[in-house]
């Protein structure tokens, strides 16, 4: 199989919360975020530059992950509860945002289509900010509203190295590629929690 020459589109957006148990990161089963419209991920971290002897003596990248925005049709209730810390009342069915809510970290999975095969991605350590709450009046034509979710994808320590993201390639095995949304891929992890 050959590499993609181009990528386009956005689909299969999922999230998976995680917890750290005995210094091992355990991811929940990924849940879908339907209605993906657009995604942008801007690198975080400046180039480190050190000048000596009247010249640039040393430079190195400072990878602090990504600042991202995801435009989606609607924020799923599960995501609001699992990641934003909102509370769904079991009795009256009302979803409440509390000022002291603590967002919970999650992995973000998604794919971009390609001319040969879709490239699947996972960003391991994301934290989302509250989305905007807005809408517009209907006119002679109805335009659906999109919700913008902003997040930070930061490095996390896994397998003795800080990692930000992983993506599939044309060399990715079928077992890993086909199971991408069943469990969060972690290199070297052979058993996944149910």
């Amino acid at each position: 199989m050959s590499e993609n020459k181009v990528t386009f589109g956005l689909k299969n957006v999922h999230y998976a919360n995680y917890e750290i148990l005995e210094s091992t990161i355990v991811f929940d089963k990924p849940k879908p975020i339907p209605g993906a419209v657009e995604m942008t991920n801007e690198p975080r971290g400046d180039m480190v530059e050190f000048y000596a002897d009247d010249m640039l003596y040393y430079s190195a990248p400072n990878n602090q992950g990504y600042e991202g925005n995801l435009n989606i049709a609607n924020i799923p209730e599960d995501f609001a509860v699992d990641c934003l810390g909102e509370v769904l009342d079991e009795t009256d069915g009302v979803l409440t945002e509390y000022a002291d809510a603590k967002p919970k970290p999650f992995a973000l999975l998604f794919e971009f289509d390609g001319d040969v095969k879709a490239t699947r991605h996972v960003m391991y350590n994301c934290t989302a900010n509250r989305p905007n709450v807005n809408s517009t009046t209907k006119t002679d034509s109805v335009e659906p509203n999109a919700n913008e979710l902003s997040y930070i994808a930061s490095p996390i320590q896994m397998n003795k190295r800080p990692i930000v993201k992983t993506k599939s390639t044309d060399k990715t095995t079928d077992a890993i590629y086909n199971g991408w949304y069943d469990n969060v891929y972690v290199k070297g992890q052979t058993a996944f929690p149910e």
Side-chain angles (χ1 to χ4, degrees), residues 93-115:
V94 173
L95 186 64
T96 303
E97 174 187 320
Y98 290 98
D100 61 352
K102 302 283 188 258
K104 298 172 195 130
F106 59 94
L108 186 63
L109 300 85
F110 55 93
E111 72 182 64
F112 301 146
D113 209 352
D115 59 305

Side-chain angles (χ1 to χ4, degrees), residues 33-47:
I33 301 177
V37 177
E38 181 181 7
M39 172 185 273
T40 59
N41 291 294
E42 298 290 329
R44 296 181 75 223
D46 296 328
M47 181 68 81

Side-chain angles (χ1 to χ4, degrees), residues 96-162:
T96 303
E97 174 187 320
Y98 290 98
D100 61 352
K102 302 283 188 258
K104 298 172 195 130
F106 59 94
L108 186 63
L109 300 85
F110 55 93
E111 72 182 64
F112 301 146
D113 209 352
D115 59 305
V116 177
K117 188 174 186 180
T119 302
R120 295 180 170 173
H121 299 256
V122 58
M123 293 182 161
Y124 290 102
N125 186 30
C126 298
T127 306
N129 201 355
R130 295 174 302 136
N132 292 338
V133 178
N134 52 30
S135 190
T136 57
T137 191
K138 294 191 296 184
T139 60
D140 57 344
S141 64
V142 179
E143 288 289 323
N145 296 314
N147 289 272
E148 183 176 78
L149 189 63
S150 62
Y151 58 90
I152 300 289
S154 303
I156 190 167
Q157 194 75 26
M158 281 197 307
N159 297 332
K160 301 180 183 170
R161 290 186 72 185

Side-chain angles (χ1 to χ4, degrees), residues 6-7 48 72 115-117 139 144 153 190:
V6 295
T7 59
V48 175
I72 52 179
D115 59 305
V116 177
K117 188 174 186 180
T139 60
T190 55

Side-chain angles (χ1 to χ4, degrees), residues 12-16 29-35 74 76 78-79 109 181:
N12 286 330
V13 177
H14 287 65
Y15 74 94
K29 184 169 181 57
K31 294 181 182 179
I33 301 177
N74 204 8
D78 282 352
F79 185 87
L109 300 85
Y181 300 107

